[in-house]
Amino acid sequence: MRKNFILFVLIPLIIFLVVAWFRIDRWVESGLERAGEELVGARVEIDRLDLTFSPLMVRFGRLEVASTQDSLRNLFETGEVHYTMDFGQLLRGKTIVDSMEVDGLILGTQRSSSGFLPGRRKGLLEGSLGKDNFQAVMDRLLQQVKASTPLFDPALWRGRINVDSLIKAQNFQTLALVDSLRQLTASSVAEWDTTLQAVKAAGQRLQEMKERILAIHPPELKSVEEVTKALATIDAARKTYNELTAAFNERHATIRGKVEDLSGAVGTIDDAVKADVRHVLSLARLPDINTMGLAELLIGQQVLENAERVAALVDESRALAARWTPKPLYVYPERMKGQEIPFPVVRGYPELWIKRLKISGGSGSEQSRNYIRLAGMVDNISSDHRLAGEPMSFTLDGTRGATLGFGLVGRIDRRAETPIDHYTARISGIHLPAFSLGKADFLPAVATGPTLAADVTISIPGSSFDVQGDLRLRALALAFQNDPRNVGERLARDILTGVTGFDAGFRLRRGGEGVNAVFTTDLDNQFADGVRRVVGEELTRLQNQLKARVEQEVAARRREFERYFAARREEVQKQLDGYKSLVEENKRMLEERRQELEARLEQLKRGAVDKVMDKILKRE
Amino acid sequence: MFWLKLFQDILAIFREGQSPRQVAGGFMLGSIVGFSPMLTLQGLVVWLIILILNVNLGAVFLSLTVCALLAWLLDPFFHWLGYQILVNIPALQSFWTSFYNSLLSPLTRFNNTVVMGSFVAALVLALPVYFGMKHLVIAYRKTLGAKVEKLKIYQAVKKSGLVRTWMKIRDLGGR
């Protein structure tokens, strides 16, 4: 035996082992803290770690994991944590945890000291997601949806409802029609003048004829020859009269036809005005309000944020799962490295396998009611699902205060060739703080006192995904920050005034045919009713306003034309009426003179007969 | 310098100090540790034996150094030998399998071809090394030492200024 070895090696070694025995808890604690910080990228603190070897068990009184985003907030903290490990597998470098219990898991607790690491170095989980991660894809998708969804756009409203800019007289069909009618009337009047000149000449001939007829005095005619001659004059005048009457009737019909045409054309001014009103309304592009757009505008941001929170959760899960992918084995041995020969094993184990993790949120009333407590079960957290033979699954329930509750059920399966993730999240009783709705330049409003409940289901088979969500917002009260600045805002306000809650849903799906996104909400139905009511009234009001403006613009020109047209028509009518009365008078006079002449002729004939008879009788 | 020192240490080990069995034992245990390419449970056991038994530590380190160099050269042979033992001997498969599933097997790394090959080679060579070195030490002390010291190369090395300077420096420590 070597005395020096015993004195200088064996005894110091025993002393070292004794010291290690008492210090190993602290060393393991430090090691776990460093490993956790490396993983998370923020301060990880473990208190009162206790390590036992038979069975191999780790127990610690408290675990705090700081947030990487807020230096004075924890990502989570726990009460007592203890777990037992398989010592045999640990010798093989495999961490197999048979059961792990975490008491008093609380999210988002306050810290008394900064949780950031010196230099803010990033953890393995931070920034490990590529540009095609789920959250990035979803963000891009939602931006596309938002861009392509017709919104209740204030700019469109303002542009569309500017009445003054729409009323441009040069564009009015009515005014063009009035101008053309005026020209047509002017040319017609010129024709009428020609016709009236002819009528006037005919009137002159009628006047002369009248004078010649008046010059015939039947009682003064002494002989049959004179009467016969006068009758011939009357017949000639009658012939002339008939000719003039036919010409007059023809011209009168022409003029009357023209007048009627013009009058009919004037009647189309009303139609032109209506057309102009329709045109102006079409230029105004009065909103065919897409209520989906309005709903999306108002709640889209909320939906987006919730969806992104879920997406972030999915990404973190995937990042964790990615880290647990087994490393490939060396196939070709390097010099002095050799080749590991595998032998059949009674049971294959992955590098890490936590078979069951029980989490209890605890009932610590000393903690703030604002903290979130988690409780539930996570099964089969493993680095290789195939070796473990089980997929990872979890059922977590959380509460905050007496009203807020949420649940998360998930299953992450990496056993098959195509990885499959499935998550279902449920949350209820969220008393949302007052949040802004609308935009700074459109309907800035604050929603106060709403409570939110939501269900989200996510399926991610391979590179595809299918996300469905339902949001239920209740007890909503809207406080508008400004008076409505335009008709769009006024409309939206009128519609929203009666809305106290709504349901909304969304579905995002990426498959072989691309990405589809659908947003639905019963807010749309509520809006639709409101829109039908309010926008109907508004449209009527706007239509009337535009119609009045159009009519106002064309009215002066129309009145002027109508006065001109009426004056000319009256003038023509007057002249025609005068000529007509002259014709009638002449006709009447002609008939009278002819009757008188025929009576005189009869009288003269009877007188001659009597005279002959007297002579005859006197001779006998 | 290293080779000169090695040469002198070999001669010193052969010439003086502990018994031939201690020297031969040191060589044997040093060869087992030296052939092994990595730290294993069996290596630790051998080290414990070295530290407990009163073998010649100079012989251990000398053997370890020489065998480590040899192991690097013989690595392909150790890999082949270990592979044959682990894979191509059906009779041993059930033993290896049960040992593979035992608690301590991960610490032995027995399923590594180079570990297995070098360890078996070391065990096979252990007795020849032991007895060979024992006879060699005895022979050196009886006759061979005097013959070696008469060799011209030994004289040349011993008288060279460089070696004398080196020996003075070495002996400053009070050897």
Side-chain angles (χ1 to χ4, degrees):
Chain A
M1 291 290 283
R2 201 188 295 273
K3 289 182 182 176
N4 287 341
F5 166 72
I6 294 171
L7 286 176
F8 298 108
V9 178
L10 198 58
I11 291 175
L13 183 65
I14 290 170
I15 293 171
F16 171 78
L17 289 175
V18 170
V19 171
W21 179 262
F22 289 106
R23 292 293 299 169
I24 194 167
D25 292 349
R26 180 58 204 145
W27 293 342
V28 171
E29 186 178 305
S30 297
L32 287 175
E33 285 177 346
R34 275 200 302 276
E37 287 172 355
E38 193 68 27
L39 185 71
V40 176
R43 189 76 69 196
V44 173
E45 291 167 329
I46 295 172
D47 294 343
R48 304 188 305 279
L49 185 139
D50 181 28
L51 177 68
T52 59
F53 290 95
S54 181
L56 184 60
M57 185 169 74
V58 177
R59 180 192 299 272
F60 42 85
R62 189 163 176 246
L63 168 66
E64 276 185 286
V65 177
S67 167
T68 57
Q69 309 298 324
D70 185 347
S71 65
L72 293 178
R73 188 169 289 278
N74 285 321
L75 191 62
F76 66 86
E77 73 168 63
T78 70
E80 184 176 296
V81 177
H82 61 91
Y83 55 94
T84 55
M85 291 189 291
D86 186 329
F87 182 68
Q89 295 301 322
L90 194 62
L91 290 177
R92 297 171 190 273
K94 296 179 178 179
T95 307
I96 308 299
V97 177
D98 290 321
S99 70
M100 182 173 189
E101 293 192 20
V102 177
D103 290 333
L105 179 62
I106 307 173
L107 306 184
T109 54
Q110 292 285 341
R111 290 179 59 86
S112 56
S113 60
S114 173
F116 287 167
L117 295 173
R120 288 299 307 277
R121 65 174 186 268
K122 277 192 172 183
L124 293 172
L125 292 183
E126 278 191 296
S128 60
L129 305 173
K131 64 178 181 179
D132 285 330
N133 63 65
F134 186 82
Q135 187 173 3
V137 169
M138 199 152 153
D139 188 43
R140 285 202 300 274
L141 176 63
L142 288 170
Q143 291 303 324
Q144 288 171 8
V145 170
K146 205 168 182 182
S148 62
T149 303
L151 295 179
F152 197 69
D153 194 332
L156 287 177
W157 273 95
R158 282 196 292 273
R160 287 169 178 172
I161 313 299
N162 189 341
V163 174
D164 291 335
S165 71
L166 293 170
I167 305 299
K168 292 178 180 173
Q170 65 269 25
N171 293 332
F172 285 171
Q173 160 184 349
T174 305
L175 296 182
L177 176 64
V178 168
D179 286 344
S180 73
L181 283 177
R182 189 184 178 88
Q183 288 180 358
L184 188 61
T185 304
S187 65
S188 296
V189 166
E191 288 178 23
W192 296 349
D193 285 343
T194 305
T195 304
L196 287 174
Q197 288 300 325
V199 169
K200 202 170 180 181
Q204 193 66 35
R205 289 179 65 190
L206 280 174
Q207 190 63 34
E208 291 171 4
M209 192 174 73
K210 179 183 176 183
E211 288 173 359
R212 285 203 300 273
I213 291 169
L214 287 175
I216 298 171
H217 297 289
E220 294 176 359
L221 298 176
K222 301 299 185 184
S223 64
V224 172
E225 289 77 16
E226 287 177 345
V227 173
T228 304
K229 188 179 175 182
L231 279 172
T233 303
I234 290 294
D235 287 341
R238 196 174 186 179
K239 186 181 176 184
T240 304
Y241 166 79
N242 287 336
E243 288 173 2
L244 289 175
T245 301
F248 170 75
N249 285 339
E250 184 184 347
R251 286 171 179 140
H252 185 262
T254 304
I255 290 174
R256 193 171 58 195
K258 282 283 186 185
V259 168
E260 285 175 356
D261 287 347
L262 284 172
S263 298
V266 169
T268 63
I269 290 176
D270 287 336
D271 295 334
V273 170
K274 289 176 184 172
D276 277 337
V277 170
R278 281 198 302 274
H279 179 61
V280 168
L281 293 179
S282 70
L283 284 178
R285 286 183 295 175
L286 287 175
D288 175 18
I289 289 183
N290 185 319
T291 54
M292 166 61 214
L294 182 58
E296 197 277 341
L297 177 72
L298 291 170
I299 66 168
Q301 192 61 32
Q302 302 299 318
V303 173
L304 188 76
E305 287 174 2
N306 281 290
E308 285 183 345
R309 281 190 197 118
V310 175
L313 186 65
V314 171
D315 281 340
E316 286 192 13
S317 301
R318 287 215 144 178
L320 281 168
R323 280 191 50 74
W324 293 335
T325 302
K327 294 174 184 174
L329 294 173
Y330 287 111
V331 177
Y332 302 104
E334 296 176 14
R335 203 173 189 92
M336 303 301 286
K337 294 291 184 185
Q339 178 184 353
E340 303 291 336
I341 305 297
F343 291 94
V345 291
V346 177
R347 176 69 167 91
Y349 290 94
E351 299 293 321
L352 170 69
W353 186 9
I354 301 175
K355 294 179 181 175
R356 169 150 290 192
L357 168 60
K358 290 180 187 173
I359 301 170
S360 69
S363 57
S365 57
E366 73 280 4
Q367 295 286 359
S368 167
R369 287 182 175 274
N370 291 325
Y371 296 156
I372 296 172
R373 300 169 188 284
L374 272 181
M377 197 86 76
V378 183
D379 288 329
N380 299 304
I381 302 171
S382 69
S383 58
D384 191 326
H385 291 185
R386 291 175 188 169
L387 276 178
E390 299 287 345
M392 177 180 166
S393 60
F394 51 87
T395 304
L396 297 172
D397 291 299
T399 57
R400 186 174 67 184
T403 55
L404 185 145
F406 62 91
L408 185 64
V409 177
R411 179 184 170 94
I412 300 171
D413 194 345
R414 297 287 181 277
R415 291 176 299 173
E417 189 72 23
T418 302
I420 300 173
D421 296 353
H422 186 82
Y423 309 91
T424 301
R426 153 192 67 75
I427 192 164
S428 62
I430 304 177
H431 284 286
L432 294 178
F435 61 88
S436 296
L437 285 174
K439 296 178 177 178
D441 61 346
F442 175 68
L443 203 68
V446 174
T448 55
T451 59
L452 176 70
D455 293 304
V456 178
T457 302
I458 304 173
S459 293
I460 313 173
S463 60
S464 305
F465 63 77
D466 187 348
V467 183
Q468 295 183 67
D470 292 308
L471 304 174
R472 297 176 295 283
L473 205 63
R474 298 289 181 269
L476 179 71
L478 294 177
F480 297 100
Q481 295 176 324
N482 299 324
D483 290 332
R485 289 172 296 190
N486 54 52
V487 68
E489 289 193 354
R490 186 163 59 77
L491 282 180
R493 271 185 71 154
D494 288 348
I495 294 166
L496 289 171
T497 299
V499 175
T500 57
F502 57 84
D503 295 345
F506 63 92
R507 182 169 189 179
L508 304 173
R509 188 164 53 175
R510 181 171 69 181
E513 71 281 3
V515 178
N516 296 314
V518 177
F519 284 87
T520 59
T521 172
D522 77 332
L523 185 60
D524 293 344
N525 295 331
Q526 297 185 49
F527 283 163
D529 294 339
V531 165
R532 275 192 287 277
R533 176 176 54 80
V534 176
V535 175
E537 294 169 2
E538 186 63 25
L539 282 176
T540 303
R541 193 187 69 76
L542 284 168
Q543 285 171 348
N544 290 338
Q545 182 185 356
L546 287 169
K547 186 177 177 185
R549 287 297 304 272
V550 171
E551 288 177 348
Q552 179 187 342
E553 288 294 321
V554 302
R557 198 88 68 88
R558 179 179 179 172
R559 277 197 300 275
E560 181 189 347
F561 165 71
E562 285 178 344
R563 272 200 303 272
Y564 169 77
F565 176 69
R568 300 304 298 161
R569 186 174 63 181
E570 189 178 353
E571 181 184 335
V572 169
Q573 197 67 43
K574 188 176 176 184
Q575 289 191 32
L576 289 174
D577 289 347
Y579 182 76
K580 191 176 180 180
S581 64
L582 181 62
V583 168
E584 295 292 329
E585 185 183 348
N586 281 350
K587 183 182 178 183
R588 181 179 51 77
M589 195 170 63
L590 267 175
E591 293 302 321
E592 286 176 359
R593 280 291 183 270
R594 184 175 178 81
Q595 287 175 3
E596 287 175 6
L597 285 172
E598 285 175 348
R600 182 61 183 163
L601 181 62
E602 191 65 28
Q603 184 184 11
L604 286 174
K605 283 180 179 175
R606 270 202 311 272
V609 172
D610 287 347
K611 207 178 272 184
V612 171
M613 287 299 292
D614 286 347
K615 280 180 181 178
I616 293 171
L617 289 173
K618 283 176 180 178
R619 283 174 191 165
E620 290 177 355
Chain B
M1 278 305 143
F2 171 78
W3 296 109
L4 290 175
K5 182 180 185 308
L6 185 64
F7 181 67
Q8 282 210 324
D9 285 345
I10 290 171
L11 295 181
I13 289 166
F14 283 177
R15 186 177 58 231
E16 58 199 42
Q18 295 173 304
S19 68
R21 286 194 309 173
Q22 287 173 307
V23 173
F27 268 105
M28 181 189 71
L29 294 173
S31 68
I32 293 172
V33 177
F35 279 138
S36 182
M38 52 198 84
L39 187 64
T40 58
L41 181 63
Q42 60 271 30
L44 283 175
V45 171
V46 174
W47 271 113
L48 199 61
I49 293 169
I50 290 170
L51 294 172
I52 291 172
L53 297 181
N54 196 11
V55 295
N56 187 291
L57 285 179
V60 169
F61 287 111
L62 180 64
S63 171
L64 189 151
T65 305
V66 172
C67 289
L69 291 171
L70 282 175
W72 194 86
L73 295 173
L74 294 173
D75 176 77
F77 169 72
F78 290 158
H79 170 62
W80 174 85
L81 179 62
Y83 187 85
Q84 299 306 316
I85 294 169
L86 289 168
V87 177
N88 290 338
I89 302 177
L92 291 174
Q93 288 302 302
S94 60
F95 173 72
W96 296 140
T97 301
S98 60
F99 189 57
Y100 187 79
N101 286 281
S102 69
L103 187 67
L104 294 178
S105 71
L107 300 179
T108 64
R109 303 199 64 181
F110 80 96
N111 63 319
N112 183 285
T113 53
V114 175
V115 170
M116 176 57 78
S118 61
F119 186 66
V120 169
L123 288 182
V124 169
L125 291 173
L127 289 179
V129 166
Y130 176 77
F131 289 110
M133 289 310 296
K134 185 180 170 187
H135 283 294
L136 186 62
V137 171
I138 292 169
Y140 184 86
R141 289 182 181 176
K142 283 183 177 174
T143 57
L144 206 57
K147 290 179 181 176
V148 169
E149 286 175 3
K150 289 177 183 175
L151 289 175
K152 289 182 179 176
I153 184 171
Y154 178 85
Q155 297 297 328
V157 169
K158 193 173 181 181
K159 289 178 181 175
S160 73
L162 193 62
V163 171
R164 282 205 306 273
T165 306
W166 161 250
M167 292 177 74
K168 283 180 184 173
I169 295 171
R170 187 194 64 180
D171 295 340
L172 283 176
R175 185 174 180 177

